[in-house]
Amino acid sequence: AIQLTQSPSSLSASVGDTVTITCRASQGISSAFAWYQQKPGKAPRLLIHDASSLESGVPLRFSGSGAGTDFTLTISSLQPEDVATYYCQQFNSYLTFGGGTKVEIK
Amino acid sequence: QLQLQESGPGLVKSSETLSLTCTVSGGSINSGTYYWGWIRQPPGKGLEWIGSIYYSGNTYYNPSLKSRVAISVDTSKNHFSLKVYSVTAADTAVYYCTRDGRGSGWYGIYFQHWGQGNLVTVSS
């Protein structure tokens, strides 16, 4: 099975900061990749699909990039409502998720 | 607007069978080429795909769970169901039902729609 390694596992940043989360796949997965946001007690919300396509309704401060084995989620100006855990997912071979990155406000 | 709602017992005894149903509203399970799936999340942990089903009944499962799970669909009731057999404490989790985001007729895709989740606790 394809393993996804997210880093960091947690981070703390100030409002307005640019935040970067990375996800590395154990083998190449082309652009079969997505990012989700999960707030406490809620279901995950799709943010990015096909590595860099922004889901409808998601704020433009969220962006995704990467292909192959290395992927990045960037939040360009962190807002208080962005406090959440972020997960990556690959759908190249079966379906697996990364371990998550918890984002907090400093 | 498409909505998914999980239902089922919140408590299951160890070695028994966990059964959940996902009722779909705002859309029909057999009206498009989407896969409908189940994902679970143990308390405080990450997400794990369990399996996915097409309106025709075609299924795909996570290899690590395949021997103990079964997903079925009832298009007349517009719902699909999950069974996990011989449960242990490790099966304690929030169970989410989902729908894929592309409708390409292939299960291997991202998840666009999610239910609110149903916490199932396995007791000894």
Side-chain angles (χ1 to χ4, degrees), chain A residues 33-34 36 38 41-46 48-50 55 87 89 91 93-99, chain B residues 39 41 45-49 52 61-63 96 102 106-112 114-117:
Chain A
F33 192 84
Y36 299 85
Q38 185 178 35
K42 299 293 188 181
R45 173 195 183 192
L46 177 67
I48 303 285
H49 61 86
D50 300 307
E55 174 68 359
Y87 292 95
Q89 180 223 337
F91 46 93
S93 175
Y94 291 105
L95 304 168
T96 54
F97 291 88
Chain B
I39 290 169
Q41 184 173 37
K45 296 188 178 180
L47 301 163
E48 180 179 40
W49 171 67
S52 299
Y61 297 115
N62 185 325
Y96 295 100
R102 183 166 291 158
W106 177 240
Y107 85 96
I109 201 68
Y110 49 89
F111 305 100
Q112 185 181 45
W114 297 68
Q116 65 185 26

Side-chain angles (χ1 to χ4, degrees), chain B residues 1-18:
Chain B
Q1 183 174 350
L2 188 74
Q3 291 189 321
L4 291 77
Q5 178 68 58
E6 306 88 352
S7 60
L11 190 64
V12 179
K13 291 185 178 180
S14 182
S15 79
E16 296 190 345
T17 298
L18 179 161

